[in-house]
Amino acid sequence: MPDIVVIGSYVVSLTVRVPRKPVIGEALIGDLFDMGPGGKGTNQAIAAARLGARVNLVACLGDDSFAGEAEQLLECEGIATEHIHRIRDVNTGVGMVTLLPSGDNMIVGHLGANLLMRPHHVEAAEQLIAQCDVLMAPLEAPLETVARAFELGRKHGALTILNPAPGQPLDPNILANVDLLTPNESETRILLRLAPDDPTPTLDLTDRLLDLGVGTIIVTRGEKGAVIVTAAGTEEIPAVPVQALDVTGAGDSFNAAMAVALGRGEDIGSAVERANRAGAYTTTHLGVIDGLPTTAELETFTV
Ligand code: ADP
C-alpha cells in the first residue's frame, strides 16, 4: 500500500442546467441541480485512496457549511484529514456551473480558502512528506506553496508528480524538483507561455520542457492516450477505446492511478497503461467522484 501526499485543493461545484444561455440581467430557472465535491487535489486524493493507497491530503477549507461536508466526505473515503485546515472568515472554494442542454457549460468560480494555503501548511506536514512514497499536486494552491512542497518532497526522496493544471507558466526552480510532469496537450503549451492551441507539434515542445530540468514528462492526450517523454526518447501508450460520456476528471483519475502504480514499484510503462485505463473508466461515468474507480472496478472494467 503506497503512501501518497496530495497538496491542495477542495472545491464544491454547484451545477444548474438551464434551457438556454441566459442574457445579462436575467434570472433564468433551471430544471436540474447538482452539488458535488471536487477540486483537482480532492479528486486525485479520492482516486488514489480508492485504488488502495494510504492518502494524506493537505488542503484548506473555509469557514462555512461546505467545509463540514468536505471533512465528512474525506473521512468517508478513508483519507487522512489531519492536514486539512479550516481558515476563518473565508469561503470554501466553489465553482458555479451553468449547464446548457447541448452539454456545453459556463463556469465561474472562486478558489476561496485554497488561495490561502501557505508554505507553512506544507511545512507542518514535513514528517508525512518524509515518509511518503509519492508527493503529488495540481496547481490549485498558490505557486509558492506548491514550490515548497516539491522542495520538501525532493529533500526527503519522495517521487514527485506535478500535474500542471489549470495550466500556467512555471519557473524552472519549481520544475527542477519535479520527477514527473503530467500536462495535457494545452497545458504543455501554456507551460511554455504559448497559446493553448499553438500548432507546434507536442513532441517539439516537450523537448523544451526537458531542457528546463524535468526528468520525465507524461503528456495526456485524451482519446489518443499518453506519451512518455524522457531524454532517452518517447513512448506512446494508446488509450483504451471507450464511448466517452463525460471527460471531466479523466486527468485526475489518470494521475492518481499512475501515482499508485509507481508507488507500488511498477515501471513507468505499465503505470501509464493502468492510468490510461483509469482515465478511460472515468470518461464512461457522469460526474467526477462517481467516475473514480476502485481497484476491483478497474480490474473488471471491460470495453
Ligand atoms: P485532462 O482531463 O487533464 O484534460 P486528458 O483529456 O488528456 O486530460 O485525459 C487524461 C487521460 O484520460 C488520457 O490520457 C486518457 O488515458 C484518458 N482519456 C481521456 N479522454 C478519453 C477518451 N475519450 N477515451 C479514452 N480515454 C480517455
Side-chain angles (χ1 to χ4, degrees), residues 66-77:
F66 292 141
E69 286 166 20
E71 286 161 351
Q72 266 181 16
L73 169 80
L74 295 169
E75 269 162 35
C76 183
E77 294 286 341

Side-chain angles (χ1 to χ4, degrees), residues 23-55:
V23 297
I24 289 187
E26 181 179 20
L28 182 61
I29 305 296
D31 66 344
L32 182 143
F33 173 73
D34 180 60
M35 184 170 108
K40 292 174 189 297
T42 292
N43 295 341
Q44 293 176 13
I46 292 177
R50 288 187 184 172
L51 292 173
R54 237 186 329 254
V55 181

Side-chain angles (χ1 to χ4, degrees), residues 1-4 44-55 77-79 133 256-257 259-261 263-264 274 293-296 298:
M1 194 190 259
D3 273 294
I4 297 186
Q44 293 176 13
I46 292 177
R50 288 187 184 172
L51 292 173
R54 237 186 329 254
V55 181
E77 294 286 341
I79 291 166
D133 301 298
V260 173
R264 277 208 189 103
R274 195 177 290 268
T294 61
T295 304
L298 204 53

Side-chain angles (χ1 to χ4, degrees), residues 184 187 220-223 225-226 239-240 242 244 247 249-251 254 275-276 279-280 283:
N184 65 17
E187 289 150 5
T220 65
R221 310 171 91 186
E223 63 188 359
V240 175
V242 289
V247 297
F254 179 100
N276 272 341
T283 70

Side-chain angles (χ1 to χ4, degrees), residues 191-202:
L191 279 167
L192 292 164
R193 299 179 192 276
L194 299 171
D197 58 353
D198 184 278
T200 313
T202 299

